[in-house]
Amino acid sequence: MNGTTGLREHVPLAAFTTLGVGGPARYFIELYSESDLAPALAFAERKRLPVFILGGGSNILVSDEGFRGLVIHVALRGVSSQPAGNHTIITAAAGENWDAIVAAAVSDGLSGIECLSGIPGSVGGTPVQNVGAYGQEVSQSITRVRAFDREENRGVELQASECAFSYRSSIFNTSLQNRFIILSVDFRLHCDGEPAIVYPDLQRMFESRESDATLADVRKAVLNIRAAKGMLIDGSVEDSRSAGSFFRNPVVERTFFERIASEFSESVPGFTLDDGKVKIPAAWLIEKAGFRRGDTRGRAAISRKHSLAIVNLGGATAHEIVSLASQIVERVHQRFGIVLTPEPVMIGFDRQYPV
Ligand SMILES: Cc1cc2nc3c(=O)[nH]c(=O)nc-3n(C[C@H](O)[C@H](O)[C@H](O)COP(=O)(O)OP(=O)(O)OC[C@H]3O[C@@H](n4cnc5c(N)ncnc54)[C@H](O)[C@@H]3O)c2cc1C
C-alpha cells in the first residue's frame, strides 16, 4: 500500500469491540496520522473494497463472518484547549478516549459534558450518534467537527449546525453516512463549573444535600448509576460486555402514546419532546412484552442489570445476539405495534438489519 505501513490481513475484530463478538477484517490498518488516510482509502478504492471506520468499537456488532473490506481503526491522538471568554474550547483528536476527555474537563472545572461520564469509545464516535445520557448530549457542546470528506477527497470543517444533530442521530449516521471520517472535534465548555442536574435520577441523589453539587460529585454519581446498570465497561463484570443500549427509545405521536397508556392500569413512562411527540423507554416496552432480565439465547442474554442491554456471557456468537434482538423486536411489535430500532451499527451482515 503506497505511502502507508502497517496494513494487516485477516485481523479478528472481536477484541476491538466491547461486545467481544465477530469475525475478522480482510484488511485492517491503524490510523496514527491524518496523512495516512488518503493512501489507505486509495488502496481500498483500487481493490474495490468497502471501508469501515472503527473507533472504540462500543457501538458496533460485527457478524460472525467478519468484514470483507478495509477497517480503518482511528488512533489519532492529541488534545488542546483555547480560552474563549467564559468558555474554553477543547479540541480533541478522534482517537482520544472519550471518558478521559470528560475526566479532564471535570477536573479542570469545565462544565458541559460531566453527565456523559463513563460512556466508552472514542471522541470521533461521539458526534456520530450524538451521544447522550442523564440530560446531556454532545451536540450541546460541539461547535465544530473536522473531517475527511470521502466524496470530495479533502479535509473539511463542519459547524455544529451542519451536523443535523437530534436524538441519537446526525448526518454521520443518516443522510451522509460513510461520507465523513471524523478527525477531531471541538467542544465548547463553560468555565463556571456548574454541573447539569436535570435528570430525575441525579436530582433525587442530590436533593437532600445541603451544599451545591460539584462537577466531580456529578461525575461520581453518574459513574455509580452506570455501574449499577452494568453500563460501565468492567472486564470482570459479565453484564458489562455489551454495546450499551441495544435499542433506541422509540418516539411516537402523542395520540399513539395515549392509546397505549389507556390499556395499562399502571402509568406508562413517556417523555414529551419539544415537538409534542413522546419518547417511550424501550426497556419498559421490552419488559412489558414479556422479557426478563437474564433471558438467554445461547451465550447471548438480556443484561441482569438493564433490560435494554444485550450482553455476551462469554463465547456468544453474533448470530445468537441477533436472534435475541430479533425476538425482542418481533414481540414488542406484536404487543405494541412499535418497531424498535437497534442502536449499534451492524457490520458484515447481508441485510442492513437482520431482524
Ligand atoms: C457499556 C456501554 C454504555 C454506553 N452508554 C451510552 C450512553 O449512555 N449514551 C450513548 O449515546 N451511547 C452509549 N454507548 C454507545 C457508545 O459508547 C457510543 O455510541 C460511542 O460514542 C461510540 O463510539 P466508538 O468510538 O466506540 O464508535 P464505534 O463503536 O467504533 O463506531 C460506532 C459508529 O461510529 C462510526 N465512527 C467511529 N469513529 C468514527 C470516526 N472517527 N469517523 C467517522 N465515523 C466514526 C463507526 O463507523 C460506526 O458507524 C454505550 C456503549 C457501551 C458499551
Side-chain angles (χ1 to χ4, degrees):
M1 190 157 57
N2 295 342
T4 55
T5 50
L7 180 73
R8 291 153 65 194
E9 297 188 48
H10 307 292
V11 174
L13 289 173
F16 290 93
T17 73
T18 52
L19 254 173
V21 305
R26 177 68 186 85
Y27 295 99
F28 183 98
I29 189 160
E30 297 276 0
L31 186 73
Y32 293 110
S33 157
E34 290 184 14
S35 61
D36 287 340
L37 191 50
L41 292 171
F43 169 82
E45 178 97 30
R46 271 199 311 281
K47 290 204 156 251
R48 296 180 183 280
L49 297 170
V51 172
F52 179 74
I53 306 301
L54 175 66
S58 62
N59 209 24
I60 60 173
L61 172 60
V62 180
S63 76
D64 295 316
E65 291 70 36
F67 183 65
R68 64 174 186 85
L70 171 67
V71 169
I72 299 179
H73 185 211
V74 178
L76 303 169
R77 295 282 188 273
V79 184
S80 62
S81 65
Q82 211 187 336
N86 292 332
H87 292 84
T88 293
I89 309 288
I90 304 285
T91 301
E96 288 288 338
N97 176 274
W98 169 249
D99 194 47
I101 299 295
V102 179
V106 165
S107 87
D108 290 346
L110 298 172
S111 59
I113 51 176
E114 61 281 357
C115 298
L116 305 176
S117 292
I119 297 180
S122 65
V123 164
T126 61
V128 176
Q129 71 154 359
N130 181 21
V131 155
Y134 304 106
Q136 276 179 342
E137 289 183 337
V138 278
S139 57
Q140 294 164 323
S141 304
I142 290 177
T143 54
R144 185 183 71 144
V145 174
R146 274 183 57 250
F148 185 86
D149 183 340
R150 293 179 62 194
E151 202 166 299
E152 297 195 1
N153 220 17
R154 65 182 179 96
V156 292
E157 289 186 3
L158 300 164
Q159 302 307 309
S161 55
E162 296 173 271
C163 298
F165 289 122
S166 62
Y167 169 66
R168 296 296 187 271
S169 166
S170 73
I171 54 168
F172 308 111
N173 67 355
T174 56
S175 56
L176 301 179
Q177 197 172 18
N178 297 330
R179 175 162 165 180
F180 297 105
I181 298 169
I182 295 164
L183 303 172
S184 73
V185 185
D186 286 4
F187 301 92
R188 185 169 175 267
L189 304 181
H190 209 290
C191 302
D192 64 4
E194 286 274 325
I197 308 180
V198 293
Y199 198 78
D201 279 8
L202 283 179
Q203 283 173 341
R204 268 193 298 278
M205 283 178 104
F206 290 113
E207 65 196 359
S208 57
R209 268 177 67 126
E210 282 173 14
S211 56
D212 288 343
T214 64
L215 290 172
D217 292 332
V218 169
R219 174 170 167 79
K220 197 169 158 206
V222 167
L223 292 176
N224 285 339
I225 298 173
R226 282 189 164 279
K229 291 182 176 173
M231 284 288 171
L232 264 191
I233 296 293
D234 176 345
S236 63
V237 178
E238 215 171 47
D239 285 287
S240 83
R241 209 179 296 128
S242 76
S245 302
F246 203 91
F247 299 103
R248 293 177 194 177
N249 293 318
V251 175
V252 300
E253 298 293 340
R254 171 148 288 280
T255 46
F256 191 89
F257 175 76
E258 280 164 0
R259 207 175 72 220
I260 292 177
S262 68
E263 287 176 26
F264 282 86
S265 47
E266 63 183 290
S267 81
V268 176
F271 180 75
T272 303
L273 304 177
D274 290 345
D275 60 5
K277 290 183 180 171
V278 183
K279 187 158 78 177
I280 309 178
W284 185 87
L285 296 168
I286 292 168
E287 285 170 13
K288 295 299 165 191
F291 292 94
R292 294 281 161 270
R293 295 177 185 191
D295 281 355
T296 58
R297 181 101 185 198
R299 300 296 296 158
I302 296 177
S303 165
R304 285 167 302 184
K305 294 182 170 176
H306 192 5
S307 334
L308 202 45
I310 295 184
V311 299
N312 172 6
L313 296 175
T317 61
H319 178 73
E320 287 169 336
I321 287 172
V322 164
S323 302
L324 180 56
S326 302
Q327 208 185 7
I328 291 171
V329 171
E330 264 170 42
R331 274 214 241 153
V332 167
H333 183 243
Q334 277 165 11
R335 178 72 183 83
F336 296 101
I338 292 174
V339 179
L340 290 179
T341 316
E343 219 180 84
V345 179
M346 310 282 178
I347 298 147
F349 291 90
D350 293 342
R351 285 175 282 160
Q352 198 171 7
Y353 177 58
V355 167

